[in-house]
Amino acid sequence: MSTLLHSASTSSPSFSQITTPRFAPITRISLRNGVRCKAIEAVNLENGRPSASEFLVSGSGNAIPRYVVAPNTRIQDLVNRNDTRLRIFSGTANPALAQEIACYLGLELGKTKIKRFADGEIYVQLQESVRGCDVFLVQPTCPPANENLMELLIMIDACRRASAKNITAVIPYFGYARADRKTQGRESIAAKLVANLITEAGANRVLACDLHSGQSMGYFDIPVDHVYGQSVILDYLASKTICSDDLVVVSPDVGGVARARAFAKKLSDAPLAIVDKRRHGHNVAEVMNLIGDVRGKVAVMVDDMIDTAGTIAKGAALLHQEGAREVYACTTHAVFSPPAIERLSSGLFQEVIITNTIPVAEQNYFPQLTVLSVANLLGETVWRVHDDCSGGIEPYSSLGID
Amino acid sequence: MASSLLQPSSSSSLFAGTLRTLDFVDHSRARISAPYTVKCDMSESSNFVNGKPIIPVLNERTLPKFMESAREAKAVSRNSNRLKLFSGTANPTLSQEIARYMGLELGKISIKRFADGEIYVQLQESVRGCNVYLIQPTCPPANENLMELKIMIDACRRASAKNITAVIPYFGYARADRKTQGRESIAAKLVANLITKAGADRVLACDLHSGQSMGYFDIPVDHVHCQPVILDYLASKTISSSDLVVVSPDVGGVARARAFAKKLSDAPLAIVDKRRHGHNVAEVMNLIGDVKGKVAVMVDDMIDTAGTIAKGAALLHEEGAREVYACCTHAVFSPPAIERLSGGLFHEVIITNTIPVAEKNYFPQLTILTVANLLGETIWRVHDDSSVSSIFQ
């Protein structure tokens, strides 16, 4: 830049001297060049900000009209454009998490108006322009599942009709995720239906947290970034002083063995145990079996969600019978349908560790409860999705979003 | 089935007769009394002969002989021609067995490959308005068999088939059902999209690797579980139920093994947990559960190179299992599966014929069960629009 400036400055005087005889055109050229030199020089002098008064003075009120001061506005416009390309909006399901994500990204949440009419219909209006923007809509479809899902669909549709360039649904908790297969004939696969609805509403991409089964990504025909809350929980457990020799990772049912095993590998290759719950006949009480050994150990039960807490509470009781010293429960999604709170706070668990993908009402807090935040994890993912970068930074390589 | 076939035919004739009568009424007022008389006669005749009209009466008064026989023949022909089975080249033996179970002939089809490897398919009989079932597992060579299936589907669609069902005893790419790392495809979903796009209206598949894979299709999928075939066979052997332990060779298949164990007199469950403790370090096998002195039945959906199941079996023997059985639906048997399976680790290896096994790959412990009856029954029920899931209850 400075070289260019120097070159321009040098050429100007020389040119002027050589062509002295032709005064009138020379003066014109010289003036124009002079103005340009001054402008560039001014920019240089004042740290890149052009000086309005300089323009006026050098022009003597003749050569430079006042409106040329506009370049200043133009530069500001560029800055604005950069900022407004990334927009984050929140639905009503988990505004606290959305706010945390926005804080992590150093942004304000976009303004929306979301209300319900008397008949229950949902109304959404974006209160700022999203034209040409990369829009991220943060909305877990936690209970009330159908309300929150419909709200998300309407938000997506609103963004599409407002000419958003890209719409990403950020779904920290994917409702209907457990309805991911037909276990008997004549059933729906509701997770697939929801995937179709979100795609049809106009989403270009989905960012989801701990889907119940990894295969559910395949229900979408649009890109899905699957983020695991496990890393947040593992970091927390690592910060506690549990001797790794004492640990056993337990899956509360046979369906979650793969998840528990992945967890165990990351937890200093801890051994694995499985609770096998069976009903030996119709209307007969369930019988619990433990496969593996937990005697004298600290058992860490791992699941993706706790709903009514029936499975995990019965599993914990069995672990105590089998001689476990302490029982921890780790889960990403705290659905906490009744009577989960009573079961979890009854003394079976040393600690119940959850994340904030689903907000927990304060009245549902209990002493053993620990709520971790996935905001930084989701914020980082949103940033990388927006930036189209994957980055090999080790702390986040486990995100699987490359 | 035979009786139900005959009955519609009779009803059809009766209906035609009635129509003819109505035509008379419409044409002329002067003929009102005569048709009325005819109608009375028909009703009376029907009553007398248990609802079957006397053909001579119909013949004499309202139907010329040629029309009656032509219509009846056409009705019969239409019924049987509505259902057509065709086989691809991947497993013609299974297709033939299915057709035999159903009492049908396989449809004639010409399938050949050009010098450059392109596949050519021509149906050699009409499928217009028919319910077509195309039987083709997409087993190795997976891409060849898959492309052949798609071209068969497309041929049927362009030949105005009414319904096209892809019967896929073994669904290749089924294991590619999720992204385990970034920047991967979900090939099972891609294959589902391709089959749907080719023109299939429905899919009938055996033992998909994960139950969720049904959700990759936007068309109806009937998922046939072949466990009953294996369970029936095991039940016919004299293994005391108190001696049995069902073993899952990996953590991913625990749910499948557990379902199997429940049906096998609620047998206990064990799991082989195989881990690699670091990069370039040998795997370490752990057994969760107990098999000492027991008969271990390893259950999986498929055996490919047999590495997992062979190592698992070795571990079970170390842990004191008396005998080890291997049960699986799909015998992919990529090298060196045969050597591993016949190496003495297994008392018996029980598979089904969803994928054909070359005779040179037979070994003494191998038992091949057939899924033809199961698939044939399912196809009948799909065609008849009767319940499929009740087969498995």
Side-chain angles (χ1 to χ4, degrees), chain A residues 89-140:
Chain A
F89 293 91
S90 177
T92 61
N94 198 346
L97 174 61
Q99 187 61 54
E100 271 187 76
I101 294 172
C103 286
Y104 176 86
L105 290 162
L107 298 173
E108 298 279 338
L109 277 178
K111 295 181 179 61
T112 59
K113 179 197 290 184
I114 301 176
K115 65 181 184 183
R116 274 165 174 73
F117 292 112
D119 62 0
E121 289 180 12
I122 297 166
Y123 169 83
V124 170
Q125 191 209 14
L126 308 173
Q127 303 211 289
E128 53 194 72
S129 171
V130 294
R131 190 174 294 272
C133 291
D134 212 358
V135 178
F136 291 77
L137 304 171
V138 182
Q139 171 89 330

Side-chain angles (χ1 to χ4, degrees), chain A residues 119-318:
Chain A
D119 62 0
E121 289 180 12
I122 297 166
Y123 169 83
V124 170
Q125 191 209 14
L126 308 173
Q127 303 211 289
E128 53 194 72
S129 171
V130 294
R131 190 174 294 272
C133 291
D134 212 358
V135 178
F136 291 77
L137 304 171
V138 182
Q139 171 89 330
T141 54
C142 51
N146 302 318
E147 297 285 328
N148 286 330
L149 174 61
M150 193 60 188
E151 187 180 288
L152 173 62
L153 297 176
I154 295 174
M155 287 170 70
I156 293 170
D157 190 52
C159 291
R160 178 164 63 159
R161 295 182 193 282
S163 306
K165 187 160 95 171
N166 261 309
I167 304 167
T168 302
V170 181
I171 311 179
Y173 172 71
F174 192 90
Y176 288 102
R178 283 171 283 177
D180 62 358
R181 64 199 299 173
K182 287 169 75 169
T183 51
Q184 305 177 77
R186 302 172 221 133
E187 291 177 349
S188 163
I189 303 180
K192 163 63 163 170
L193 172 61
V194 170
N196 286 349
L197 294 173
I198 288 169
T199 307
E200 202 65 28
N204 304 107
R205 174 187 287 278
V206 166
L207 196 163
C209 203
D210 269 328
L211 295 165
H212 187 63
S213 61
Q215 288 93 352
S216 296
M217 289 173 84
Y219 294 161
F220 292 88
D221 281 312
I222 53 182
V224 178
D225 289 302
H226 190 189
V227 175
Y228 297 92
Q230 235 184 35
S231 51
V232 172
I233 296 172
L234 284 164
D235 280 352
Y236 175 78
L237 280 180
S239 73
K240 297 177 78 72
T241 54
I242 305 175
C243 179
S244 60
D245 287 342
D246 275 354
L247 272 174
V248 176
V249 174
V250 181
S251 173
D253 56 32
V254 298
V257 174
R259 182 184 307 112
R261 181 179 180 279
F263 198 90
K265 275 194 81 171
K266 296 214 171 111
L267 211 53
S268 309
D269 250 322
L272 187 60
I274 298 107
V275 176
D276 180 11
K277 175 179 69 174
R278 297 193 196 187
R279 193 182 297 273
H280 284 278
H282 293 294
N283 298 318
V284 178
E286 292 158 345
V287 174
M288 314 283 290
N289 298 302
L290 182 68
I291 305 174
D293 186 25
V294 298
R295 189 163 301 278
K297 305 282 191 178
V298 174
V300 179
M301 302 188 86
V302 178
D303 211 342
D304 62 328
M305 66 175 78
I306 295 177
D307 195 345
T308 58
T311 297
I312 206 164
K314 288 187 185 109
L318 176 66

Side-chain angles (χ1 to χ4, degrees), chain B residues 209-333:
Chain B
H209 187 64
S210 61
Q212 288 92 352
S213 296
M214 290 172 84
Y216 294 161
F217 292 88
D218 280 312
I219 53 182
V221 178
D222 288 301
H223 190 188
V224 176
H225 301 277
C226 300
Q227 262 185 11
V229 172
I230 297 173
L231 285 164
D232 279 353
Y233 175 77
L234 281 180
S236 72
K237 298 175 79 71
T238 53
I239 306 175
S240 168
S241 60
S242 58
D243 271 355
L244 272 175
V245 177
V246 173
V247 181
S248 173
D250 56 32
V251 299
V254 175
R256 182 185 306 114
R258 180 179 181 279
F260 198 89
K262 276 194 79 172
K263 297 225 173 97
L264 212 53
S265 310
D266 249 322
L269 188 59
I271 298 107
V272 176
D273 181 12
K274 175 179 69 175
R275 296 193 196 187
R276 194 183 297 274
H277 284 276
H279 293 294
N280 298 317
V281 178
E283 292 159 345
V284 174
M285 313 283 289
N286 298 302
L287 183 67
I288 305 174
D290 186 25
V291 297
K292 195 171 292 294
K294 305 282 191 179
V295 174
V297 179
M298 302 188 85
V299 178
D300 211 341
D301 62 328
M302 66 176 78
I303 295 177
D304 194 346
T305 59
T308 296
I309 205 164
K311 289 188 185 109
L315 176 66
L316 293 179
H317 282 297
E318 283 170 35
E319 296 279 338
R322 201 170 81 230
E323 280 170 356
V324 178
Y325 287 74
C327 302
C328 85
T329 303
H330 307 303
V332 184
F333 285 2

Side-chain angles (χ1 to χ4, degrees), chain B residues 329-350:
Chain B
T329 303
H330 307 303
V332 184
F333 285 2
S334 303
I338 304 300
E339 289 72 30
R340 285 171 168 161
L341 294 171
S342 57
L345 287 167
F346 297 99
H347 190 80
E348 192 168 359
V349 176
I350 303 160

